[in-house]
Amino acid sequence: MPEPRKPSNVSFLRNRARFRLLGLTVDDMIRLFFGGNAVVSVVVLGLITIFLFKEGHSFFGDNRRNLETYRRAGLEYVDYMRQQERDHTALIRWLSDVRVRQLRELTEVQGMDLAAANAALAPFDDFAGSFSDTVEDLRGLVSDLTDVASATKTQFLVNEDKRVQKQQLLAEGLTEQAEQVQIDPVDFVAAAEVLTGTLPYYRELAAAFEEALRAVVAEIPAAVAPGQQPRLDRFTQLVADYIAGFPAVEQRLSTWDPNIPVGFGEAITAFVFGRQWLTASFWQDWYGIVPLFTGSLLVAFIALVIAVPMGVCSAIYINQIARPAEQRIVKPCIEFISAIPSVVLGFFGIAVLGQTLRALSQFESLAWIPGFPFSERLNALTAGCLLALIATPTIFTLAEDAINNVPRAFKEASLALGATRLQTIVRIVMPASLSGVISAVLLGLGRVIGETMVVLLCAGNRIQIPDFTKGLAIVTEPVHTMTGIVAQEMGEVVRGSIHYRALFCVGIVLFFLSLLINYVAQKVVRRYKLPGS
C-alpha cells in the first residue's frame, strides 16, 4: 500500500502562522479585508437610503401647502367648471373620430370620391359645429374666472418670493434693505367672493347649456356610413350621461369653501393616487404618480411576456438538451447581451426596432393584431421589446443555475424508470427547479423596473394613464415611467423645490418596489427549497 503523499510546501503554512503585520496574522488580515468590504457595502446602502428619505420626506408638507394655495386662491372652484368644459371637448373629439371613420368608409369601402364624401357629410358637419358652439358661454365664464384666480395665486407667489428675499437680507444683516421690501397681503376672502358671486349666473348658464345640448342632439343626423351608426348611438348616450352630471357640478360649486384646511393625508393621497403629473404649469402643478406607475408596469409586463419564455426555454435547452459544442457558443452569446450598454440598445430601438415595428403594423395581413396599425414608433411595445433583451440574460443565468441545482439522482431515477428526456424535463427537472426559476423571473422583473435609459429613449414619454379600455392594443401607446421621469427632470429642477422633492419620492417608491420584489424572490426560494440543497 503506497504511503500518503506529503504536502510539497509545508513551509508556507509555517510562515503563514508566524508572519504578523501590526499584530495581525495572515488569517486576520484576510478576514479584515473581506469583512471590511462587506461593511462598506452595507454602509453605502444605508447612506443611500438615508439620503433618499432626507431629500424626499418633506415633499408631502410642501405638497400640502401647494394644495392649500390651490384651494384658497380659487383655482379649485374654477376647475369644477373647467372639467365640465373638458368633458364637452372630449365629446367633440368623439364626433371628429366618427367623421374620420365615416369618411374612410365612404372613400375606401364604398369607393366614393373625396368631394362627394365631404358633400355627403355636410349635414354631419353642421351638427358637429352646432354641438361645438353650445359650450361657448361656459368657456367664456371659465376664462373670466381663470383670470381672477390666477391673479390671486400669482400675487401670493410673488409675496412668498419677497418674504424669502427679506429673510435672506435680514440674515446678511442688511436691515434697511429688508425693510424696503414691501409685502402686500393677499385678500383671499375677497377673491373667493368674486368667484362664488358668479354662482347664480352659472346656474342660469348651465340650464341654458343643457337645453341647447338637448335641442342639438335631438336633431343628430343618421350616419351616412352605416357601419358608424353604433358609434353615433353611443355618442347620444354619452351626451345624456354628460348632462346628468350637471347637478353634481352645481353641488360642488355651491358647497365649495376656500377655508377648509388641506389635511396631511390629502397631500399623501394626491401623490399616491394622483392621475396627473403636471409641472411648470401656469395654473397648477400636480404630482400624481399613477401615470408613471402604470407606465412602468405596462412596459415591465411586455418585457416579461417576451423575456420569460426566451430566458427559461434557453436555460432548459442549454442545460438539458444542447451538446457541449452548442453550450460553448450559445451560452456566452446570451450572457453577452447584458454587456451591451443600455444607451446603445436605446439607439437601436429608435433607429431600427421602432421603425420596423411601425412598418410591419401597416401590413393589412397583420391588421388582426390588437393595436395594428399604429403611427407612434416610440411606445410601450418598442421599450418592452428592448427591456426583454436586457432581462433575458438575468433570467437565463439564474434559471440555469436553478436547473443545475436539481440533484442528479432525480434525473437518473426518472430515466431509469423508462421516462423520456422530455418527460424527465417536464415532470422532474422543472418542478424541482421551480423555486429558482420563479426567483429568476422576479429578479428579471426587478431588472426591467429599474432600467432607465431604454425607457427614456423608446417609451414615447407621454405622461398619461394608458387607456386600458383598448384591451391588448394598449401596448402600442406611448407611456412614461418612474425611472424615465427622474432621469428626464432631475437635471432641470431647482434644488430643494417641491418638484425636486417629488422626484425623490418617486425614487423612494422605486426603492420599495425593488425591495418588495427581492423580498418575494427570497421568500419563494426559501419556501420551495429542496431538502439538503
Side-chain angles (χ1 to χ4, degrees):
M1 183 176 180
E3 294 182 357
R5 187 178 178 182
K6 296 181 179 179
S8 59
N9 188 13
V10 295
S11 61
F12 163 73
L13 298 176
R14 287 197 300 270
N15 293 334
R16 184 180 173 188
R18 293 173 181 172
F19 179 77
R20 286 180 178 275
L21 178 64
L22 301 177
L24 299 175
T25 64
V26 175
D27 288 342
D28 292 337
M29 286 188 281
I30 292 174
R31 189 182 300 110
L32 185 62
F33 175 76
F34 289 107
N37 281 279
V39 170
V40 168
S41 301
V42 174
V43 170
V44 169
L45 176 62
L47 289 176
I48 292 174
T49 306
I50 292 172
F51 177 68
L52 268 179
F53 282 90
K54 175 179 175 295
E55 296 294 325
H57 82 281
S58 59
F59 161 75
F60 296 106
D62 294 342
N63 199 32
R64 181 183 179 186
R65 288 187 287 274
N66 177 43
L67 295 176
E68 278 182 348
T69 306
Y70 170 74
R71 177 169 294 171
R72 295 185 67 193
L75 276 66
E76 183 182 43
Y77 185 86
V78 181
D79 269 345
Y80 292 149
M81 298 184 195
R82 190 189 297 275
Q83 186 57 48
Q84 196 175 15
E85 180 193 349
R86 288 173 178 163
D87 292 343
H88 186 273
T89 303
L91 292 172
I92 295 174
R93 286 200 297 269
W94 184 283
L95 282 178
S96 300
D97 179 69
V98 172
R99 190 190 190 282
V100 171
R101 290 170 182 265
Q102 288 192 97
L103 183 65
R104 187 180 301 162
E105 186 173 334
L106 291 176
T107 55
E108 297 179 1
V109 179
Q110 300 183 15
M112 193 178 293
D113 62 72
L114 185 60
N118 282 325
L121 287 170
F124 181 84
D125 292 339
D126 294 338
F127 163 75
S130 300
F131 183 84
S132 178
D133 292 341
T134 55
V135 78
E136 288 303 321
D137 291 340
L138 176 63
R139 186 170 293 158
L141 177 60
V142 170
S143 177
D144 294 340
L145 297 186
T146 296
D147 294 339
V148 175
S150 60
T152 306
K153 181 181 178 182
T154 301
Q155 186 180 355
F156 173 79
L157 294 179
V158 169
N159 284 356
E160 289 298 302
D161 291 340
K162 288 182 177 179
R163 190 169 286 108
V164 172
Q165 180 188 3
K166 195 169 187 174
Q167 290 175 352
Q168 291 175 344
L169 292 172
L170 290 173
E172 295 175 1
L174 303 175
T175 308
E176 294 183 359
Q177 296 182 19
E179 291 177 353
Q180 293 176 0
V181 178
Q182 298 296 324
I183 301 176
D184 300 324
V186 181
D187 193 348
F188 286 110
V189 177
E193 288 177 353
V194 172
L195 298 175
T196 54
T198 61
L199 184 58
Y201 173 66
Y202 169 79
R203 286 174 174 149
E204 296 176 4
L205 182 151
F209 185 27
E210 178 180 346
E211 185 179 353
L213 284 174
R214 293 187 187 281
V216 171
V217 173
E219 298 179 358
I220 184 171
V224 292
Q228 301 304 318
Q229 186 59 43
R231 293 188 65 80
L232 273 184
D233 295 339
R234 175 61 180 159
F235 173 78
T236 305
Q237 181 59 46
L238 289 175
V239 173
D241 295 342
Y242 174 61
I243 294 175
F246 283 15
V249 177
E250 184 181 338
Q251 176 69 18
R252 284 195 289 268
L253 291 173
S254 58
T255 58
W256 178 74
D257 184 357
N259 298 316
I260 296 176
V262 176
F264 197 75
E266 193 174 346
I268 296 175
T269 55
F271 174 74
V272 176
F273 302 108
R275 301 170 65 87
Q276 292 187 71
W277 182 276
L278 184 62
T279 59
S281 170
F282 82 99
W283 183 250
Q284 173 68 14
D285 290 346
W286 296 103
Y287 303 97
I289 200 174
V290 173
L292 309 174
F293 186 74
T294 53
S296 294
L297 288 187
L298 178 60
V299 173
F301 175 75
I302 297 170
L304 286 187
V305 166
I306 300 171
V308 170
M310 287 176 60
V312 176
C313 293
S314 300
I316 294 172
Y317 178 78
I318 292 297
N319 191 275
Q320 298 290 317
I321 301 174
R323 292 171 299 177
E326 290 178 293
Q327 292 178 352
R328 287 194 294 271
I329 297 174
V330 178
K331 187 176 178 180
C333 289
I334 295 176
E335 292 174 342
F336 178 73
I337 297 175
S338 61
I340 301 175
S342 58
V343 68
V344 175
L345 287 176
F347 291 157
F348 175 76
I350 292 174
V352 179
L353 183 61
Q355 191 69 24
T356 303
L357 290 175
R358 184 174 63 176
L360 287 175
S361 74
Q362 307 302 320
F363 286 103
E364 292 186 6
S365 59
L366 298 177
W368 57 272
I369 299 176
F372 280 31
F374 58 87
S375 57
E376 304 276 359
R377 66 190 171 96
L378 303 181
N379 51 43
L381 180 61
T382 306
C385 290
L386 292 172
L387 285 181
L389 277 179
I390 294 176
T392 296
T394 302
I395 297 174
F396 167 78
T397 304
L398 297 176
E400 202 209 356
D401 288 344
I403 295 171
N404 262 334
N405 288 333
V406 176
R408 187 179 180 84
F410 285 19
K411 181 180 176 181
E412 292 175 347
S414 175
L415 294 174
L417 289 173
T420 64
R421 177 184 292 181
L422 182 60
Q423 287 174 327
T424 301
I425 292 173
V426 174
R427 299 292 183 87
I428 302 298
V429 176
M430 289 311 297
S433 61
L434 187 60
S435 64
V437 173
I438 293 175
S439 176
V441 172
L442 290 173
L443 292 175
L445 172 62
R447 179 75 175 85
V448 298
I449 281 285
E451 175 55 37
T452 303
M453 189 55 70
V454 166
V455 293
L456 184 62
L457 293 175
C458 300
N461 298 340
R462 181 183 295 171
I463 306 177
Q464 66 177 22
I465 300 175
D467 186 2
F468 290 95
T469 60
K470 292 183 176 179
L472 293 178
I474 194 177
V475 301
T476 59
E477 285 193 6
V479 296
H480 215 323
T481 62
M482 292 186 287
T483 54
I485 202 74
V486 173
Q488 184 180 22
E489 298 184 353
M490 182 54 79
E492 302 173 356
V493 299
V494 178
R495 184 180 177 86
S497 65
I498 181 174
H499 189 182
Y500 172 84
R501 301 196 186 284
L503 293 176
F504 270 90
C505 280
V506 174
I508 291 173
V509 173
L510 274 169
F511 177 81
F512 277 111
L513 195 58
S514 300
L515 196 66
L516 177 65
I517 292 171
N518 280 277
Y519 175 75
V520 172
Q522 294 296 327
K523 291 291 287 185
V524 168
V525 171
R526 290 174 185 169
R527 173 67 177 81
Y528 297 102
K529 190 175 181 180
L530 290 174
S533 62

